[in-house]
Amino acid sequence: MAATPSSSPPIALYPSKFNPDQALHPLPFLSKCTSLKHLKQIQALAIKTHLQNDLHILTKFINFCTERPTPSSMDYAHQLFDTIPQPDIAHFNSMARGYSRSHAPVHAIFIFIQALNHGLSPDHYTFPCLLKACAASKALEEGKQLHSLATKLGLSDNAYLLPTLISLYTDCGDVDAARRVFDQAVEPCVVSFNSMITGYARSSRPNEALSLFRELQARGLKPTDVTMLSVLSSCALLGALDLGKWMHEYVKKNGFDRFVKVNTALIDMYAKAGSLEDAIKVFESMVVRDTQAWSAMIVAYATHGQSHRAMSMFEDMKRARFQPDEVTFLGLLYACSHTGLVREGFQYFNSMTAEFRITPGLKHYGCMVDLLGRAGRLDDAYKFIDELPIKPTAILWRTLLSACASHGNVELAKRVMQRIFELDDSHGGDYVILSNLCARAGRWEDVDSLRKLMIEKGGVKVPGCSSIELDNVVHEFFSGDGVNGVYTALHRALDELVKELKLVGYVPDTSLVGHPNMSDQEKEIVLRYHSEKLAIAFGLLNSPPGTTIRVVKNLRVCGDCHSAAKLISLIFNRQIILRDVQRFHHFKDGKCSCGDYW
């Protein structure tokens, strides 16, 4: 580990028996240099031996400073750079590379402009670091200009530049532009594949990421640990357990299980695919663990409703002398919010700053709002947001809006909606939540005005979508399929299923359908063809008796589907694991792991 400036012992620049006639050169000492303090000692030697203006030595000093840039080292590098009378493009490239990796990546662009003002022409090494700086700064327009200039100079097809261009566009949210760059490559390398696969995974386009991984294999290219991280992330997004297990075997066969980060990704994948048992096995088999691995396991327990296991894991983590990080506390707060442990949640939240010097982020604040909201302490949650040390975002207010809907508090929900509108009035889901709440309260005038306002503001309701993986194929279903569309054997089977459920006490909760002009029978049909029920029915029809049914939904599971799933697990003796946007629900023997606290 590099010594800090305050603790670095001085380098022995002179032998114990110093001969004034013996010439000492600064460069051999650079190989022993481990800190900026050491470098300054070596520069002092350069000054003493009249070599302070030697271009080769200055270049080596600048490269040392920019290799692992810190604010201090970049400031020092710039001081050295300014002493060069006529720097060449290599010097500018070194400075730009350092800034692109630093806390102030935009300074790389300023250096580039300075190079152009000196009449220098960029080379193959110039654009990769500039594009990295644009990606880090989310400066898409500037990145596009650099892309155009590189093309104009005939440098855009450089092997080093293509992966950087792809990363620029994916990091700035333009994945389709990244794919166009990727498709231009005649023989894309594994680094280009990694950049594109990572871009798809981060943009929640897992199918395209996995398709590209198969193309990489077909080309005979050898994937890296970076490839596997993005592929496993894509499996996690899909909730595809069978595919994830195949990938796990691939990881072991090709030796990627020696990487701690890959094992951590496996834990995350298994947890999100609904197999907590497999996540635990991976964690327990790890020879080497780090904070991220412990945190992944804590989050896994939390999302599966095992709050006390998550908290127990945190105590084990501390005993093993691992320092928790932001993700660790997200898992702990998540665990508390989904089981109503308000006191424990506040203890963890307060310990972040008091004990571990971790500054809470937006997601931590969101967990606290969710914790109070689920517990019915809506006014406390409102006050908590209002008194935050940061400016509240629409996401925080939306968390409280959902809690208001769960507890039927129309008046507070309308106040919260006004706070949301001050920040963003185009999110269709906000209108739907408040509209449904008003409908359940019989306030139809409010329902009509909200729907008109939603149309006026261009808000779009996100349709409910549920997926299920069978035989390595992921099948998707959308809410409303069959209401006005094609009526299939699946819909007939679901109709029969609902009849059986009614015989054991199922009563459709038509209050969840906020349409006053619909009859109760029409509302029942809307509820019947919710995406969760379609996916579960498909699983019942197409999987062997007794096997677990795993469903992933893009929104929060609705109350009616939650009640139906409990009864289906009882009647058919099936375990149903349903992952919604917030957590996992394990249905078994007519009960849910959430204890109906969700």
Side-chain angles (χ1 to χ4, degrees), residues 187 193 210-223 250:
E187 292 290 339
F193 269 98
L210 293 171
S211 175
L212 206 57
F213 173 65
R214 286 189 283 271
E215 185 180 332
L216 178 149
Q217 291 178 299
R219 285 175 178 262
L221 293 174
K222 187 174 178 60
Y250 184 90

Side-chain angles (χ1 to χ4, degrees), residues 112-391:
F112 176 61
I113 294 170
Q114 191 178 341
L116 294 179
N117 290 337
H118 276 67
L120 297 173
S121 297
D123 61 15
H124 287 293
Y125 299 102
T126 308
F127 288 101
C129 56
L130 294 175
L131 291 168
K132 284 180 183 177
C134 290
S137 305
K138 298 294 184 287
L140 180 59
E141 288 307 313
E142 289 78 2
K144 287 180 177 178
Q145 293 172 25
L146 288 167
H147 185 183
S148 298
L149 180 58
T151 303
K152 184 178 178 180
L153 296 173
L155 301 173
S156 60
D157 60 349
N158 180 269
Y160 294 104
L161 191 62
L162 280 172
T164 315
L165 275 170
I166 294 167
S167 295
L168 164 74
Y169 287 116
T170 56
D171 288 352
C172 293
D174 195 345
V175 185
D176 294 325
R179 185 58 194 253
R180 288 193 293 272
V181 172
F182 177 84
D183 289 340
Q184 289 171 6
V186 179
E187 292 290 339
C189 63
V190 69
V191 180
S192 294
F193 269 98
N194 285 350
S195 297
M196 197 65 242
I197 292 170
T198 300
Y200 276 135
R202 288 178 179 172
S203 301
S204 298
R205 292 165 65 168
N207 288 316
E208 287 153 297
L210 293 171
S211 175
L212 206 57
F213 173 65
R214 286 189 283 271
E215 185 180 332
L216 178 149
Q217 291 178 299
R219 285 175 178 262
L221 293 174
K222 187 174 178 60
T224 67
D225 56 312
V226 175
T227 321
M228 303 316 301
L229 290 175
S230 296
V231 169
L232 289 170
S233 174
S234 298
C235 293
L237 286 168
L238 286 171
L241 181 60
D242 290 342
L243 180 60
K245 286 188 172 183
W246 184 89
M247 287 306 310
H248 190 182
E249 290 302 316
Y250 184 90
V251 162
K252 290 189 289 188
K253 182 178 178 181
N254 291 276
F256 291 115
D257 53 348
R258 69 182 185 276
F259 295 101
V260 177
K261 289 187 183 299
V262 173
N263 284 318
T264 302
L266 281 167
I267 294 170
D268 182 63
M269 181 276 294
Y270 276 126
K272 289 178 178 175
S275 181
L276 183 60
E277 297 80 8
D278 284 311
I280 295 169
K281 287 178 184 176
V282 172
F283 180 80
E284 291 180 344
S285 69
M286 292 177 70
V287 178
V288 178
R289 298 169 184 156
D290 60 10
T291 293
Q292 286 71 37
W294 283 94
S295 298
M297 202 62 240
I298 290 171
V299 171
Y301 279 127
T303 53
H304 283 267
Q306 298 197 22
S307 301
H308 292 288
R309 292 286 297 274
M311 292 187 284
S312 175
M313 176 68 69
F314 178 59
E315 296 304 317
D316 291 343
M317 178 182 180
K318 289 194 294 184
R319 279 192 290 271
R321 298 186 181 280
F322 284 92
Q323 190 75 3
D325 62 8
E326 293 86 350
V327 178
T328 316
F329 282 99
L330 275 178
L332 292 169
L333 295 177
Y334 205 76
C336 294
S337 70
H338 282 277
T339 43
L341 301 174
V342 177
R343 181 177 60 84
E344 291 84 348
F346 270 94
Q347 287 176 347
Y348 286 128
F349 180 75
N350 292 330
S351 73
M352 286 180 66
T353 51
E355 186 176 351
F356 297 101
R357 303 288 189 272
I358 298 173
T359 303
L362 183 62
K363 291 183 178 180
H364 300 102
Y365 292 130
C367 283
M368 297 306 293
V369 174
D370 191 48
L371 174 67
L372 291 168
R374 288 178 187 275
R377 293 170 55 174
L378 303 178
D379 291 329
D380 289 338
Y382 190 100
K383 183 180 178 184
F384 181 86
I385 299 176
D386 232 9
E387 295 178 351
L388 284 178
I390 63 171
K391 184 179 179 181

Side-chain angles (χ1 to χ4, degrees), residues 561-577:
C561 290
H562 192 271
S563 299
K566 287 196 293 184
L567 290 172
I568 292 170
S569 72
L570 179 65
I571 294 172
F572 293 92
N573 192 27
R574 293 281 198 115
Q575 183 177 9
I576 301 170
I577 300 177

Side-chain angles (χ1 to χ4, degrees), residues 15-16 49 111 149 165 190 207 257 262 265 279 286 378 411 445 448 452 471 488 500 505 507 574 581:
S16 54
T49 53
I111 282 286
L149 180 58
L165 275 170
V190 69
N207 288 316
D257 53 348
V262 173
M286 292 177 70
L378 303 178
E411 294 307 320
E445 288 184 7
D448 290 338
K452 289 176 183 176
D471 299 324
T488 66
E500 289 190 57
V507 179
R574 293 281 198 115
V581 73

